């Protein structure tokens, strides 16, 4: 099926530019609508300099930082799921509950990743474990 004429014009650098604009809008929406995203952004801002101090290697430093970024990505995806479910309708439905609960569970599980990484690297820095 051919693309509509309007979409066909958006190729190459123009398409990349528009994708960047949509991503910027998505980040702004996440910031405005999601308190958890604002908390995670604050946590990331605080943790970046701490990661450079705590990480014994560049790999550890990047793992510390990107573990929090991973959590933020999952948070945005969960928010997108919730938004789509809410868009479908306000009535209670078992499948809506399942979708939202599974999205929430993905955030919970992804929050374990930075927790384990930060504790492990910190224990290594303090000499309690060998990394």
């Amino acid at each position: 099926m051919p693309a509509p004429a309007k979409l066909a014009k958006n190729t190459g650098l123009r398409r990349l530019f528009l994708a960047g604009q949509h991503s910027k809008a998505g980040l702004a929406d996440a910031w405005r609508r999601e308190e958890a995203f604002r908390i995670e952004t604050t946590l990331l801002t605080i943790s970046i300099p701490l990661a450079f101090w705590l990480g014994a290697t560049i790999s550890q430093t990047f793992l510390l930082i990107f573990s929090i970024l991973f959590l933020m990505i999952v948070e945005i995806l969960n928010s997108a799921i919730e938004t789509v479910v809410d868009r479908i309708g306000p009535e209670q439905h078992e499948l809506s509950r399942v979708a939202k609960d599974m999205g929430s569970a993905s955030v919970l599980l992804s929050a374990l990743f930075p927790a384990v990484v930060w504790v492990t690297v910190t224990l290594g820095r303090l000499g309690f474990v060998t990394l």
Side-chain angles (χ1 to χ4, degrees):
M1 181 171 183
K6 181 180 178 185
L7 295 178
K9 289 190 257 180
N10 298 331
T11 60
L13 293 177
R14 173 144 178 81
R15 182 175 184 197
L16 289 176
F17 174 77
L18 291 173
Q21 294 298 323
H22 293 300
S23 297
K24 180 180 169 186
L27 288 170
D29 287 333
W31 180 263
R32 267 193 313 277
R33 297 170 180 254
E34 296 297 328
E35 182 180 6
F37 183 78
R38 291 190 298 274
I39 291 168
E40 292 157 0
T41 302
T42 303
L43 178 65
L44 178 67
T45 303
I46 293 166
S47 68
I48 288 174
L50 186 58
F52 279 98
W53 175 79
L54 188 61
T57 66
I58 194 72
S59 298
Q60 285 182 4
T61 302
F62 282 118
L63 189 58
L64 290 165
I65 293 168
F66 284 103
S67 66
I68 297 173
L69 281 172
F70 175 73
L71 172 60
M72 294 173 73
I73 291 166
V74 175
E75 186 71 54
I76 289 172
L77 291 172
N78 178 50
S79 297
I81 291 168
E82 290 179 352
T83 301
V84 169
V85 169
D86 290 345
R87 167 63 175 91
I88 292 170
E91 68 279 349
Q92 298 290 317
H93 192 282
E94 179 63 11
L95 293 177
S96 296
R97 182 201 61 78
V98 169
K100 287 185 167 192
D101 287 353
M102 291 174 83
S104 180
S106 69
V107 173
L108 173 66
L109 292 175
S110 67
L112 295 174
F113 180 53
V116 169
V117 168
W118 279 82
V119 167
T120 303
V121 172
T122 301
L123 291 175
R125 178 78 165 180
L126 296 173
F128 291 111
V129 295
T130 304
L131 300 178

